[in-house]
Amino acid sequence: MPVEPGRMLPPYRIKVVEPIAFLSAEQRRMAIASAGYNPFNLRADQITIDLLSDSGTGATSDAQEAVAALGDESYAGARSWFRFRDQVGSLTGYPFILPVHQGRAGERVLFSNLLKPGQICVSNTHFDTTHANVELVGARPVDLPCAEAADLDSSEPFKGNIDLDALEHLLDGPDGGKVGLVLMTITNNGLGAQPVSMANLKATSELCRRHRIPFFLDAARFAENAWLVHEREPAYRDMAPRQIATTAFGYADGCVVSLKKDGLSAVGGFIGLRDEQLHAACEANLIATEGFSTYGGLAGHDLERLAQGLREVVDPWYLQARAASTARMAQLINDAGVDTVQPAGIHALYLNAGRLLPHLSPAQFPGHALGCQLYLDGGIRCAELGSLYLGAMDENHQLVTPAPFELVRLAIPRRVYTDTHLEYVAAILADIAKDPERVSGYRIVSAPPILRHFKVRLEPLT
């Protein structure tokens, strides 16, 4: 059988490197204790492998750094803006583009002009800042994931889909008139990095148009979703990832995008719109809060890096290599006796901490406990997506309603770690899996009222 380099090798070689930290076990123990047992509070120079987020953590290319030198820093009408606008417009097909410094800024601007207090925003799954920004304008976020998403072990290819029957039932029911927006997240970050099928996007679009409800994409990982569609949806097997992405954007009335993911940059985002009146309203908000509408809080060199990054991210060789690397890591972790949400996505793997640590109840936060143990044993930083993040608490920070699953997200930065780094993560997990009962639970000491997981402080139970 011939060897296929594209399935084994990333389509780049490393030109610049950055040192990583190797703390002793005692130094890690002291560091996590000082951080209130919250990985978000750790210093970057206390981390060996950082899998906390794939947002803004990727490596830029030589081409991106070269074009950054062309950055035009004019306050209005910069050349860099027009290059960025033309690239985004060509990719998405939207006539109106507004730059923002990151995705949550785009959410704030868009939601404040699309949603009113008392309305409902429906999604396949709102992620944390999206959920918060919906609530901050007085609206109510409602998640309608497909039924297949509830089976973490199944190999269903599109577990990121929205439940079309549930959506239609909501729109036809007594609360249908309250729905102000349907927002589809591609890929579905909150449910295991699972993709959304083109068939589901098309059907959702048709349903929203029939009910005259705006349909938008939260498209931070549009290229990775396109690759998984290319691989898993037979009708798109012969279509290039960029074509698939453009087709997906075409089903929606607009989008909000963090380009800190598939923009291959440390900063940036945009709002894409079809409606001129909505564009005018969002533009006024943008100018008042983010910056003039030809820079939106971004420097000219950022706009240049982003325009180039949007060309590179839809390269099928890049996407194939990234997907293959994540799949190899998943196999190593599964072979070590740790279950992950199946099938493997691209930007992250989700560990089933509840299954690995059955001796810990949801109130003892098994996902968070596993994340802390990964740091204590190997200097690995990651994020919990379980009852600490998603559970309902009372005023004393006691768990009232647990999350449906106790997960840990290993988010993989783009073009940063080699397979050897990821093999190390799997080896640390394998060691934990040999004696999982040594992992202790945690309790909350203090927490903010919103987006609890970012600034919560905890302590171990033993």
Side-chain angles (χ1 to χ4, degrees):
M1 179 181 245
V3 174
E4 296 184 53
R7 292 196 175 274
M8 296 184 66
L9 302 174
Y12 52 84
R13 60 185 180 184
I14 297 166
K15 186 177 289 189
V16 178
V17 296
E18 175 188 0
I20 58 177
F22 294 97
L23 276 64
S24 68
E26 178 60 19
Q27 287 173 321
R28 294 194 298 269
R29 187 193 66 77
M30 293 175 63
I32 193 71
S34 296
Y37 295 92
N38 183 350
F40 282 97
N41 292 334
L42 288 166
R43 291 165 48 118
D45 57 10
Q46 296 171 323
I47 310 298
T48 301
I49 304 292
D50 200 343
L51 306 182
L52 184 69
S53 177
D54 66 315
S55 179
T57 57
T60 53
S61 69
D62 57 352
Q64 285 178 286
E65 292 308 307
V67 297
L70 301 174
D72 178 0
E73 307 303 340
S74 301
Y75 184 87
R79 295 183 301 277
S80 299
W81 152 248
F82 291 105
R83 284 191 279 267
F84 172 81
R85 183 204 63 181
D86 292 347
Q87 181 62 30
V88 173
S90 173
L91 173 68
T92 65
Y94 298 135
F96 304 109
I97 306 296
L98 293 170
V100 290
H101 78 275
Q102 63 179 41
R104 68 189 66 177
E107 291 171 352
R108 181 192 57 75
V109 171
L110 181 67
F111 295 166
S112 64
N113 287 283
L114 261 185
L115 292 169
K116 298 179 177 61
Q119 285 192 314
I120 295 170
C121 180
V122 183
S123 181
N124 49 348
T125 307
H126 295 82
F127 204 58
D128 51 10
T129 57
T130 314
H131 190 282
N133 275 312
V134 170
E135 291 188 326
L136 284 171
V137 298
R140 177 165 61 96
V142 172
D143 293 336
L144 296 178
C146 65
E148 292 83 356
D151 185 351
L152 303 186
D153 302 315
S154 81
S155 58
E156 288 289 332
F158 292 105
K159 289 155 71 171
N161 285 349
I162 199 166
D163 186 326
L164 290 167
D165 290 338
L167 177 60
E168 186 167 23
H169 180 75
L170 173 60
L171 295 178
D172 286 336
D175 286 336
K178 297 179 182 178
V179 177
L181 173 65
V182 173
L183 182 72
M184 188 80 85
T185 304
I186 56 173
T187 57
N188 193 331
N189 188 23
L191 280 179
Q194 298 299 303
V196 177
S197 72
M198 297 295 281
N200 192 255
L201 283 174
K202 183 180 180 181
T204 304
S205 175
E206 292 171 349
L207 192 57
C208 289
R209 285 195 169 90
R210 193 159 70 244
H211 288 82
R212 298 186 178 181
I213 303 295
F215 175 48
F216 275 64
L217 301 182
D218 175 356
R221 299 171 182 88
F222 70 90
E224 295 181 357
N225 198 85
W227 178 256
L228 293 172
V229 165
H230 168 78
E231 290 289 284
R232 300 179 187 179
E233 198 163 0
Y236 296 86
R237 175 72 63 176
D238 297 326
M239 190 177 287
R242 182 185 170 97
Q243 292 175 288
I244 295 171
T246 300
T247 304
F249 284 117
Y251 287 132
D253 298 308
C255 68
V256 59
V257 181
S258 167
L259 290 176
K260 296 172 68 174
K261 288 84 169 175
D262 277 353
L264 301 179
S265 184
V267 69
F270 71 91
I271 304 167
L273 300 165
R274 296 193 193 280
D275 185 86
E276 187 171 8
Q277 186 175 352
L278 179 58
H279 167 257
C282 288
E283 184 179 44
N285 188 309
L286 180 86
I287 293 171
T289 60
E290 287 287 309
F292 192 62
S293 50
T294 60
Y295 78 93
L298 295 167
H301 57 79
D302 295 323
L303 292 166
E304 296 284 1
R305 285 191 187 93
L306 289 166
Q308 177 62 27
L310 289 171
R311 296 183 185 96
E312 295 177 9
V313 77
V314 290
D315 174 12
W317 293 108
Y318 158 77
L319 288 166
Q320 179 174 262
R322 179 159 163 79
S325 181
T326 304
R328 283 193 293 271
M329 184 186 184
Q331 190 61 58
L332 288 171
I333 291 172
N334 297 156
D335 290 345
V338 180
D339 291 327
T340 56
V341 174
Q342 297 293 332
I346 297 181
H347 84 271
L349 293 174
Y350 292 68
L351 312 176
N352 192 332
R355 186 174 294 170
L356 180 65
L357 307 176
H359 63 287
L360 298 181
S361 70
Q364 295 170 314
F365 309 123
H368 185 77
L370 179 56
C372 286
Q373 201 65 45
L374 278 165
Y375 179 75
L376 287 166
D377 288 4
I380 300 159
R381 178 160 67 169
C382 52
E384 185 256 19
L385 267 76
S387 290
L388 182 63
Y389 162 43
L390 295 168
M393 309 279 180
D394 64 20
E395 63 276 8
N396 297 314
H397 310 305
Q398 298 298 306
L399 185 66
V400 176
T401 306
F405 306 108
E406 304 296 337
L407 303 178
V408 174
R409 186 184 72 166
L410 306 180
I412 304 170
R414 293 160 181 81
R415 305 188 296 199
V416 169
Y417 293 120
T418 68
D419 283 345
T420 305
H421 291 102
L422 303 183
E423 288 167 9
Y424 169 78
V425 176
I428 296 296
L429 273 167
D431 191 60
I432 294 172
K434 291 174 184 175
D435 184 18
E437 291 194 3
R438 69 184 173 91
V439 180
S440 67
Y442 287 80
R443 75 174 188 88
I444 295 175
V445 175
S446 64
I450 190 170
L451 294 171
R452 172 175 58 234
H453 52 293
F454 284 120
K455 299 304 294 183
V456 64
R457 296 185 71 87
L458 305 99
E459 63 182 15
L461 292 172
T462 57

